Amino acid sequence: MSQPSPQDPARARHHSGTDADAGPGVDTGTDARAEVEAEVEAEARAGAEEKGDGLRERLVRTGVALVDAEGAQALTLREIARRAGVSHGAPRRWFPTHLDLLSAIAREGFAELAARVAEADREADRTDAGPRERVETLTRVYLGYAAERRGMYELMFRHDLLESGRLGLRETSLPLFARLAALVAELRPGTDAVTAAGALWANLHGLAQLRHWGSLSLATGSDDPAPFVRAALDAHLGPAEPTR
């Protein structure tokens, strides 16, 4: 049986179960175990980093789970790395700056929101819905996403991320607004559809924020966004045609 290396006395004491070199009151067995476990963990992390297969995607997935669980403020490089099982410096191999990693996480949010909007459009196609109905559906999807994925929603619309242009995040967000503007143009031909769509979106964004903060129910006595959405749509698009 091989003997522990004399260069590693802590490991030797752990395997031999002796504490002859320890001073009074020192739990060397516990200390040695902790040291060995730390070494094993470090070796595992190093191996994961050297292999690198799927690590970029794992970091992003970890960030998505973290922002959903604890909010955008929890998305530090160190915490994402810890939860992904790598050293705190590992993310910089794939994401040179913190903004790059946050932008990659936010892209996942825009992709999911776009997928929800696309599914709503497909359903509207099946029912032959008009532009007003499609706008109403889009607002429900948008506000529903803001309520369900609060941390991600806040991250997606952080000014510093959109302004930085990291990973083309600004361009990723524009198709959603373009879809709203196109529907507004159908409803109000000859008007400045971009301005009207921007004003409507600002109302929706403010509604989502006020609802989350509890200010909406405090001021109005209701947390139901539906009547406020109808009022915003009527103000920016004109009253809906009466149903027959």
Side-chain angles (χ1 to χ4, degrees):
M1 180 181 295
S2 61
Q3 296 298 319
S5 168
Q7 287 78 17
D8 190 1
R11 192 184 294 270
R13 287 195 300 273
H14 173 69
H15 287 289
S16 64
T18 65
D19 56 358
D21 296 331
V26 177
D27 185 358
T28 56
T30 301
D31 290 345
R33 282 195 297 273
E35 184 177 340
V36 171
E37 289 170 359
E39 290 175 2
V40 170
E41 183 179 357
E43 290 169 1
R45 289 185 176 183
E49 292 171 32
E50 289 172 4
K51 186 176 181 182
D53 293 340
L55 181 53
R56 184 187 188 282
E57 290 74 19
R58 186 160 84 250
L59 289 167
V60 174
R61 288 197 306 270
T62 300
V64 170
L66 181 59
V67 76
D68 283 339
E70 300 186 21
Q73 73 282 352
L75 292 175
T76 64
L77 283 173
R78 185 178 293 272
E79 183 61 15
I80 293 172
R82 186 186 72 80
R83 296 195 181 207
V86 297
S87 68
H88 67 270
R92 296 199 181 276
R93 301 184 185 182
W94 288 267
F95 302 101
T97 71
H98 192 202
L99 283 179
D100 287 311
L101 179 51
L102 294 182
S103 296
I105 296 168
R107 281 177 66 94
E108 296 296 306
F110 278 115
E112 183 187 356
L113 179 55
R116 294 191 186 191
V117 171
E119 175 57 32
D121 268 340
R122 287 191 290 271
E123 179 61 27
D125 288 340
R126 287 192 288 269
T127 60
D128 197 26
R132 173 76 180 218
E133 293 174 272
R134 290 173 186 265
V135 171
E136 291 173 354
T137 298
L138 192 153
T139 62
R140 286 195 297 270
V141 170
Y142 184 85
L143 292 175
Y145 186 87
E148 295 167 22
R149 304 287 306 279
R150 186 64 208 175
M152 179 64 82
Y153 176 79
E154 289 184 347
L155 179 68
M156 288 161 58
F157 293 104
R158 267 181 49 169
H159 175 74
D160 57 339
L161 295 190
L162 294 171
E163 183 66 23
S164 72
R166 298 287 184 178
L167 307 184
L169 186 62
R170 187 167 49 226
E171 289 72 21
T172 303
S173 66
L174 290 177
L176 293 170
F177 179 75
R179 178 60 182 145
L180 176 60
L183 290 171
V184 171
E186 285 189 64
L187 281 167
R188 300 189 64 184
T191 64
D192 185 349
V194 171
T195 298
L200 176 56
W201 175 49
N203 275 183
L204 294 176
H205 192 76
L207 180 57
Q209 293 285 60
L210 291 172
R211 189 183 183 198
H212 172 68
W213 294 331
S215 301
L216 186 66
S217 59
L218 182 65
T220 67
S222 174
D223 190 46
D224 180 7
F228 306 106
V229 170
R230 284 195 299 270
L233 293 177
D234 288 349
H236 296 292
L237 306 178
E241 295 182 3
T243 57
R244 296 178 180 178

